[in-house]
Structures are given as C-alpha cells and as structure tokens.
Amino acid sequence: MPHDADISTLPLAVVVQRCQEESERFFQQAFNDPRYCHEVFRRAIVHHTGNAWAFVYRQYTPLVVSWVEHHASFAASGEDSAYFVNRAFEKMWSALNADKFANFPDLRSLLRYLQLCTASVIVDHVRTREHAHFAASLSISHQDDPGGQYGNIGIEAPIIEELERQQLWQRIQQRLKSPAEQRLLYYRFALDLMPREICLRFPEEFPDVKEVYKMLQKILDRLSRDAELKKFLSQDD
Amino acid sequence: MGCIRPPAVPDEQLLALIDGAATDDVVAHVEQCGACRDRANHLARQQGQLAVQLYRVACPSPLDLGEYHLGLLSTERIPAIAEHLATCAPCEQELQRLQGYLLALAPTLATAPAPAAPIRESAAERLQVFVATLVDTLSGAVTGGGRTPALAGLRGGEPEEQWVYAVGDLQIIIAMPPEPKSVRKGLFGLILGLETDEKAEVNVELQRHQSDTTVMTEGHNFVFEHVTPGVYTLILRSPGQAIRIENLTV
Ligand SMILES: [Zn+2]
Ligand SMILES: [Zn+2]
C-alpha cells in the first residue's frame, strides 16, 4: 500500500481512477482504500483544483441524492432532490478551506460533513418556509374577527434579507438600555414567546407579567421614535 | 378622535389586550372607544413588524448547529451556541433531528464492512481491536417490558432510548439521559457477557478529537456525566484487547 505522501504526488487522473475503483469496492462491500477519494477532496478544497471539484461532484451526487431523499423534510419541501444536492455541495465548498480541512483526516469525516451540509440546506429551506408562514399568520390573524378589533394587523412588508435582518437586530439591541431589556426582546421576538410564557420559563428574571408588559411598552416606544428603525416599525404613520 | 372616557388605556395594558390577557374593564373600554382601539391596532402592527423581522434572528444557522454537534466549531463559539440551545426549543429540536439523521446515515459511511475477525491496530502493541456494531435501538417502553436488563434506575430516571452494541458474545448497552437545564447528557453503559473476574480489569475511555477521559467501571456499569453533545468513540480496554464503538452520537 502506498503511503499518504505518495498519493499526494500522484497525477490527479490516477488518483481519480483509484477513487472510482475503491468506491466500486465500497459499494460491493469489499475491503477498500478510502485514501484516494480523500485525496481528491483535498485537492478540490485545499488546492482549488477545478477538475477535482468536478469529479467529487460527479462521484458523490448519487450518494447525496439518497441522503436528500432520506431526510424527513424532503418530501414536503416542494423541491426536487437535484436542487438540494447542488446547494449541499455549494455549502460544503463555501464552508471549507485549507485550514478547516485539517479537521477531516479521512474520507469518512468528509462524507459526514457532506451529510451535515445536506441536512443544513434542507433545514435552511424549512426555516425559510416556516418564517413565511409565520409572517402570513400575522398578516391574517383576527381578520375574520367580526368586531375587527386589533385585527387585520396588516403586516405586508416583505421579510427583509438575512444580512439586513442581522443589521436590524444589532441596531435594535444597541437601542436597549439594560441586559434585562435585551433578554426580554430576545425572548419576546427572537424566540416568539408571549409575556406569560416568558414569566413561566424565566421566573427569576421576569417574575411579574405586568412588569414585562411595562418594559415591553418602553422598548416599543423607544424603538418607534428611532428614525432609523421607523421604516420597519411604523407602516401606518 | 380622543378617548371617550379619559384617561386613555395605557399602552402596556393595550399590549396585554393584544395578547388576550387584558382585564374585563379594559376589554369593555376598548370595545366602545375608537381612539383606544386605534392605538391598540397601531401597537399590534408595530409589534407584528418586529415579530416578523426578528423571527429566529438569533438562531445559529443549521450548519453552525451541526458543526457544534460534530465538535468542529472553534472553542470561542461554543458557549454562545450552548447558551442559545438552552433557551431555544426550535434549535434544540433541529439539533435532535440532525443527530437522528446523521445516526441513520452512519452506515453509508462505513468504508469497509465491519471486520468479522479481530484486526490489529498496531503490530507493535499486539492489541486485538474489535469494532462493536449497533444491533438494536430500544425505546424506554420496550425496555420496561424487560427485553434487556434495564439501565433505568442507574440515576433514578428511565432512559428514553438505549442503544445495543454487540461484538462476539458481549453486548454493550448505552443510554444517554439528558441533564436538566443543560444541553449536556449523561452517558451510561452496561456491559453484558463479561466473566466475573474480567470486570475489574476493564476500563472505559471516551474520545473526541484529542480530549480523552478515562473512567474505571464500577461493577459492569460505566458512567460519564456532563457529556457535551458531539460524536465520540468509546473504547473499552482490557489487557491485550480493545473494543471500539465508533460514531457514538451524544
Ligand atoms: Zn379610550
Ligand atoms: Zn434558535
């Protein structure tokens, strides 16, 4: 068996061919040497070798398709497996670099990371859909209420881009006066907990629901007077 | 338009009204008072805007959660994610699903069939190394039925799930009960099939990257407490032999 050092000096075509052969053995449940396939990943990720990337994509697509189809949220996603397969490879390429590659000493660890990327892109998709449903539920809540009170709150602004959302979150946190206000805003809006739930779950920090409403009112009042934040908070003004 | 019966209902009471938590007199007032009703609607919109834009805004990305689980995150990022997980039910649930998903896919990563015969880890050590394979997963209910010697009661509670690994005549049963108010778990094990005099000589090692912990068995049980979620290798060593359980997901 060649040493790892020997493998790293072989021409890519040879490494790729051995990876294919060893993968065949793997699927036949025969003893196989995974180092060649690991080496192809290494050249793709550490050396940015385009042909190595292309080979990894081709070689592992069927496996990633099976992983996608195995995921519990895939069937209801409304996307085909190819969509998630592409996202999973993109995720892996963008997440790994030469430094991080050191965490992956063998093929097994790399493939497990690819499985993680597969799950991640599906969960990203699920989160986006859940967020849209959440926004839709607020825009129609109480609309059917015959009295129309505090109804049809009419949240029609589109969900802003993730980067902008993070900036908004930072900006809002800077406007808060105390760690307690920060915790309350986090519980109320980032975790979507009602004040009553907040008191139940964090009784030491927030023992009294009336105080929670008072603090919440102060926060809303301050944020609504902030010129930068106004566009997010005051549709009707 | 002004309040029909000043003073107008204070904002904090209107916020409670929006959540359905107002007192009867506030409800009655707002039903009749257009000004206070307008104000309640305004606050509801404002709050709704925040709720939409800040929905799960502080949640780590699914990839970060996964890297946390696999022990790939840099040490400075771990506490923030652990703290978040302690309060965020959706992330905790996503992490649990991810653990189950990776566990279910683990067999597709085996680069060779589990060796039937012992393989030599190192010629110099002349150590026989066996790889234990997962043969069964038991829910608490099944265990309660007496199919296997229960790990329940080891620390009082009934473990929800148990994993049964086998190698040769030995069985290793693992349970990982969550610890209260923590993302960490206990890791309890029970070795079946050991000769009485072998028990004293087995020690158990839990490995993750470089960090090793060693605990001697007490009788035929072993216990690790406060185990951070991640993927571990469990090694049971006795003189001249080692049994490995790989990809043990806590
Ligand atoms: Zn009024
Ligand atoms: Zn979260």
Side-chain angles (χ1 to χ4, degrees):
Chain A
M1 250 187 203
H3 292 294
D4 290 354
D6 301 332
I7 294 178
S8 70
T9 59
L10 291 174
L12 179 64
V14 175
V15 181
V16 157
Q17 195 190 338
R18 287 302 307 270
C19 171
Q20 266 171 325
E21 289 166 7
E22 297 298 334
S23 299
E24 296 268 307
R25 287 171 192 271
F26 166 69
F27 288 114
Q28 288 159 9
Q29 305 253 305
F31 182 78
N32 62 90
D33 184 348
R35 290 176 303 163
Y36 295 94
C37 294
H38 180 261
E39 174 62 14
V40 185
F41 271 101
R42 193 184 69 82
R43 293 189 195 189
I45 293 163
V46 177
H47 297 304
H48 305 287
T49 307
N51 287 340
W53 292 98
F55 173 78
V56 165
Y57 180 84
R58 241 186 1 258
Q59 178 73 15
Y60 289 100
T61 286
L63 197 58
V64 179
V65 167
S66 73
W67 295 342
V68 167
E69 290 171 352
H70 191 88
H71 197 282
S73 298
F74 168 63
S77 70
E79 295 288 350
D80 57 17
S81 56
Y83 171 80
F84 290 117
V85 170
N86 288 333
R87 299 290 88 71
F89 279 109
E90 285 165 12
K91 184 78 103 184
M92 185 162 183
W93 301 151
S94 63
L96 294 188
N97 54 30
D99 284 346
K100 261 186 136 178
F101 192 80
N103 290 320
F104 302 93
D106 51 26
L107 180 62
R108 191 188 180 86
S109 56
L110 279 168
L111 292 181
R112 193 171 56 196
Y113 194 78
L114 187 53
Q115 288 179 338
L116 166 61
C117 291
T118 305
S120 297
V121 295
I122 297 173
V123 177
D124 278 332
H125 185 82
V126 169
R127 281 193 189 181
T128 303
R129 275 171 44 136
E130 284 176 353
H131 193 176
H133 285 154
F134 177 72
S137 75
L138 285 183
S139 73
I140 58 169
S141 64
H142 311 297
Q143 245 177 0
D144 298 332
D145 179 352
Q149 289 173 3
Y150 0 102
N152 188 9
I153 60 175
I155 310 300
E156 280 156 14
I159 298 164
I160 55 179
E161 290 293 319
E162 187 56 30
L163 185 65
E164 214 184 332
R165 231 159 72 85
Q166 293 298 332
Q167 288 166 348
L168 173 68
W169 178 232
Q170 298 297 331
R171 221 180 290 151
I172 287 175
Q173 284 182 305
Q174 287 161 7
R175 303 297 185 271
L176 303 178
K177 301 267 191 213
S178 67
E181 283 194 354
Q182 290 193 339
R183 298 297 292 172
L184 178 59
L185 196 86
Y186 168 77
Y187 294 146
R188 178 64 190 88
F189 297 110
L191 298 186
D192 188 35
L193 296 176
M194 288 290 144
R196 206 177 33 234
E197 290 175 278
I198 294 170
C199 295
L200 279 174
R201 287 190 54 186
F202 309 101
E204 282 171 20
E205 278 176 282
F206 298 105
D208 180 356
V209 73
K210 278 187 186 161
E211 292 304 315
V212 168
Y213 277 113
K214 267 188 201 161
M215 192 184 280
L216 199 56
Q217 182 273 322
K218 278 186 191 148
I219 295 173
L220 286 176
D221 184 54
R222 199 176 318 126
L223 297 183
S224 69
R225 281 186 282 110
D226 185 291
E228 271 187 275
L229 297 173
K230 233 177 181 150
K231 61 177 173 174
F232 297 109
L233 304 177
S234 312
Q235 265 187 36
D236 58 344
D237 291 345
Chain B
M1 180 173 57
C3 177
I4 54 163
R5 267 197 314 278
V9 179
D11 281 358
E12 64 261 29
Q13 291 182 25
L14 293 176
L15 288 171
L17 177 79
I18 293 163
D19 295 343
T23 53
D24 289 346
D25 52 333
V26 169
V27 174
H29 177 108
V30 176
E31 268 172 12
Q32 293 162 16
C33 175
C36 289
R37 195 158 59 237
D38 284 351
R39 181 70 188 157
N41 279 326
H42 169 81
L43 288 171
R45 268 192 293 277
Q46 204 179 50
Q47 213 180 211
Q49 287 295 331
L50 272 177
V52 167
Q53 304 302 357
L54 300 185
Y55 173 82
R56 297 195 67 183
V57 71
C59 290
S61 71
L63 190 69
D64 281 347
L65 281 180
E67 291 196 353
Y68 170 82
H69 166 59
L70 294 177
L72 293 170
L73 272 192
S74 57
T75 35
E76 63 268 22
R77 296 194 58 204
I78 291 172
I81 293 195
E83 196 187 338
H84 179 81
L85 280 166
T87 55
C88 181
C91 280
E92 176 69 35
Q93 201 174 50
E94 282 177 8
L95 185 61
Q96 276 176 12
R97 286 190 185 142
L98 176 70
Q99 288 173 346
Y101 178 71
L102 294 180
L103 195 68
L105 293 188
T108 67
L109 295 184
T111 47
I119 52 168
R120 303 224 177 274
E121 188 173 56
S122 141
E125 287 178 331
R126 297 279 171 230
L127 179 73
Q128 286 189 307
V129 180
F130 300 86
V131 179
T133 48
L134 183 66
V135 294
D136 207 355
T137 307
L138 306 173
S139 69
V142 174
T143 314
R147 248 177 80 188
T148 61
L151 281 169
L154 206 59
R155 279 291 184 279
E158 172 105 11
E160 283 179 358
E161 213 171 4
Q162 299 181 3
W163 289 268
V164 183
Y165 289 84
V167 57
D169 294 335
L170 290 185
Q171 277 198 333
I172 301 122
I173 303 173
I174 307 265
M176 300 176 214
E179 294 180 356
K181 293 187 177 176
S182 169
V183 291
R184 293 181 178 179
K185 293 182 178 178
L187 193 156
F188 300 160
L190 174 67
I191 311 170
L192 299 176
L194 282 178
E195 298 295 327
T196 317
D197 58 339
E198 286 178 320
K199 286 174 184 170
E201 297 183 5
V202 179
N203 71 65
V204 188
E205 193 177 318
L206 193 60
Q207 283 189 344
R208 187 190 191 192
H209 308 302
Q210 273 76 43
S211 57
D212 300 355
T213 322
T214 309
V215 168
M216 295 295 292
T217 55
E218 302 163 7
H220 50 288
N221 291 323
F222 56 88
V223 177
F224 293 90
E225 289 182 298
H226 317 310
V227 182
T228 309
V231 179
Y232 291 83
T233 300
L234 188 76
I235 305 171
L236 300 112
R237 292 185 196 281
S238 62
Q241 277 194 345
I243 296 169
R244 294 172 70 89
I245 296 178
E246 290 173 342
N247 291 306
L248 189 65
T249 304
V250 174

